[in-house]
Amino acid sequence: MHSSPDLDIDAGDEADAVKVVEWQDVRKELDRLCGLSSALAEAKRRKDPLSQKLQSLIQEREESLRWSNELEEMKERLEARKLVLDDLLTQSIRASGDAKSQREHLCVVIRPLLSAAETLSASHVKLEEDNKLLYGEGGHGHLKILRQMLRTRRRHMIAQVAAIFPVEGSFEQAPEVSMDTKYGGSRSGNCDGSQSSHVSRSPQMPSLSILGLRVTVPPLKTMTLFYDTKELQRSAGALGYITHAVLLIASYLHVPLRYPLFLGGSRSYIHDYAPSIELSPSDLTSNSVNGLGSKLTDFPLFLEGHNTTRAVYAIFLLNKDLEQLLDYMGIQSLGPHHVLANLRELLRIIQSEEFIDK
């Protein structure tokens, strides 16, 4: 509460000097002092509410200033956010344009993908159907199983042939064998496939036999009436066994032989539709007289009389049949004059596991 200027002056004067009052003026001075005291009390009374009100106004002013400062800060932040928002809006518009172009591009790309998906789905359906046909009854899987069963059965049957007609070997020197012929040529040059007219078995090669019988052909130049006929009969028997074994193997494998065989034991024949040997005049005359022209292409797998040419050629053709069977199995022949060796190799490969897994 503010005091008046007059009161302030009096107070200052009283402070500066002591006022001397006359006795007769004391009452008046007391009255004046009482009035001043009352006025001072009234001023104090009026000052308290005004002070409280002023303090309240000051607090409100401070609060207002604080809020004003916060408002300014918020405005600044708002402006900054507006700038960021404008930037984001620009980026959003740009991204929206890019997204639209990407969407159009994706639409173009998706069309063939959808078509490919439909094709793939149809292919999956067809694949499932094919798998059912493949592994179902009558399918390739079933056919493969049947083929394995058939090969197993064939191997078992041909193993029985190998047991019936065992081909065994021993390292003994075999007698010299001649494949010399008197015909002008063969399907491989000479019957042994080389320029030499004599083939002698190497001492290191085993001498093979079938059921204890060997295939021996005496040299043509040394063929006489006094040649061991028992040896010729044993050779004819061996050739009969080989003929029988080849016929059974060819029938089990369902391979038609290029040179058909006619089984007759030790008197077996082999047929050639276009023989490469020159038939002797005696053969032509005798067969013509007897009306057996068809026999001209049947060659004996045994020695007839003193002429071994047809027998040697028959052995050569028999080996050709063996080479045909070996080629069917994917095996290379051991040579044109190794009849028993080719037969043993054929039996060995058929009885192996490779035959089942083909």
Side-chain angles (χ1 to χ4, degrees), residues 151 155 331 348-349 351-358:
R151 291 193 186 102
R155 185 177 73 166
I331 304 300
R348 184 195 67 79
I349 194 63
Q351 295 180 83
S352 66
E353 293 296 331
E354 298 176 4
F355 179 72
I356 301 297
D357 298 334
K358 278 190 176 183

Side-chain angles (χ1 to χ4, degrees), residues 118-134:
E118 294 177 357
T119 305
L120 182 62
S121 177
S123 299
H124 276 302
V125 174
K126 189 175 184 302
L127 181 61
E128 291 178 359
E129 295 177 354
D130 292 342
N131 284 334
K132 291 179 181 178
L133 293 175
L134 182 63

Side-chain angles (χ1 to χ4, degrees), residues 283-296:
D283 292 334
L284 293 172
T285 304
S286 62
N287 283 293
S288 299
V289 172
N290 296 329
L292 301 176
S294 62
K295 291 293 183 181
L296 293 177

Side-chain angles (χ1 to χ4, degrees), residues 193-220:
S194 65
Q195 300 297 328
S196 176
S197 62
H198 293 276
V199 179
S200 60
R201 195 180 302 273
S202 173
Q204 285 76 22
M205 289 189 62
S207 176
L208 299 178
S209 62
I210 180 169
L211 287 174
L213 301 179
R214 298 175 183 173
V215 177
T216 58
V217 178
L220 301 181

Side-chain angles (χ1 to χ4, degrees), residues 243 247 259-265 267-273 295 297-299 301:
T243 301
L247 280 173
Y259 304 104
L261 293 166
F262 302 96
L263 181 62
R267 289 295 181 267
S268 299
Y269 288 84
I270 189 168
H271 183 80
D272 186 7
Y273 295 99
K295 291 293 183 181
T297 54
D298 292 338
F299 296 90
L301 289 166

Side-chain angles (χ1 to χ4, degrees), residues 212-233:
L213 301 179
R214 298 175 183 173
V215 177
T216 58
V217 178
L220 301 181
K221 295 180 180 180
T222 61
M223 185 66 183
T224 63
L225 291 174
F226 303 102
Y227 195 81
D228 189 356
T229 56
K230 291 185 178 180
E231 184 65 26
L232 297 180
Q233 291 175 358

Side-chain angles (χ1 to χ4, degrees), residues 148-161:
Q148 289 181 347
M149 294 173 61
L150 178 60
R151 291 193 186 102
T152 303
R153 179 61 178 168
R154 285 176 173 176
R155 185 177 73 166
H156 176 68
M157 296 172 70
I158 294 175
Q160 292 180 340
V161 174

